[in-house]
Amino acid sequence: MHSFDAITGGWDAVCGASGVHETLRLSAFRTVRRLPGPTAPPAHVVRYRCGCGDDHELLMSSVELDWAPIRSTFGEHFDLMTGRMAEDPDQGVELWWRSMRRGHWPVTLHCAHHRAPVPAWPSCLRALEPDDERAVSHLLVHYVCPLCDRQGTQVMRPQALELVPRLQ
Ligand SMILES: [Zn+2]
Ligand SMILES: [Zn+2]
């Protein structure tokens, strides 16, 4: 299980070359391949660009990909009332719920077949091609639209792929 850390904004991943723990952000994903077969929840092979400069692969379930960022976000926080660290498992879900009501989903797609932005999830992505692997300013993102199942492509900045709720 690759846990998601709300503070660093990524999943915990271990570099296969150095053994160092890395934070895997969505913008470091390069391909997402859903494994064939009736696995429930579906399993995906994620190839990503590691801090060591090589690409590695991870096996991730849809729960890890799509739900872990929402479930874990700010689950642990500093409670001003008690002056201690507190854990509220519903806190992240609540923040994301408010964010999504304002139109900020974990991933926002602009499918040509819908007029409104499409609420989407990390598992909707298929491939991310950065303009410059050493200094990424934008990525060509290939996805499968969750509403119409068609493939699409759009240009996104790395900031648009940060898995943080936006309350403004
Ligand atoms: Zn590595
Ligand atoms: Zn669509």
Side-chain angles (χ1 to χ4, degrees), residues 14-18 22 48 50-56:
V14 180
C15 171
S18 68
E22 300 266 349
Y48 68 96
C50 179
C52 74
D54 272 336
D55 287 357
H56 304 313

Side-chain angles (χ1 to χ4, degrees), residues 27 29-30 125-132 136-143 152-158 161:
S27 58
F29 281 31
R30 290 297 170 262
L125 305 183
R126 288 295 168 270
L128 287 78
E129 298 172 30
D131 55 335
D132 180 350
V136 180
S137 71
H138 56 262
L139 305 107
L140 189 62
V141 176
H142 305 264
Y143 60 85
T153 302
Q154 76 185 63
V155 174
M156 294 174 87
R157 295 192 306 142
L161 292 160

Side-chain angles (χ1 to χ4, degrees), residues 90-152:
D90 296 326
Q91 178 92 356
V93 178
E94 171 66 28
L95 286 175
W96 269 107
W97 177 237
R98 281 160 54 192
S99 176
M100 289 188 251
R101 284 212 314 234
R102 284 168 169 78
H104 303 300
W105 297 286
V107 178
T108 303
L109 298 175
H110 296 276
C111 175
H113 303 278
H114 318 283
R115 252 189 289 167
V118 175
W121 305 91
S123 66
C124 299
L125 305 183
R126 288 295 168 270
L128 287 78
E129 298 172 30
D131 55 335
D132 180 350
E133 193 62 86
R134 281 160 303 172
V136 180
S137 71
H138 56 262
L139 305 107
L140 189 62
V141 176
H142 305 264
Y143 60 85
V144 174
C145 173
L147 296 185
C148 68
D149 269 341
R150 290 185 176 97
Q151 295 192 4

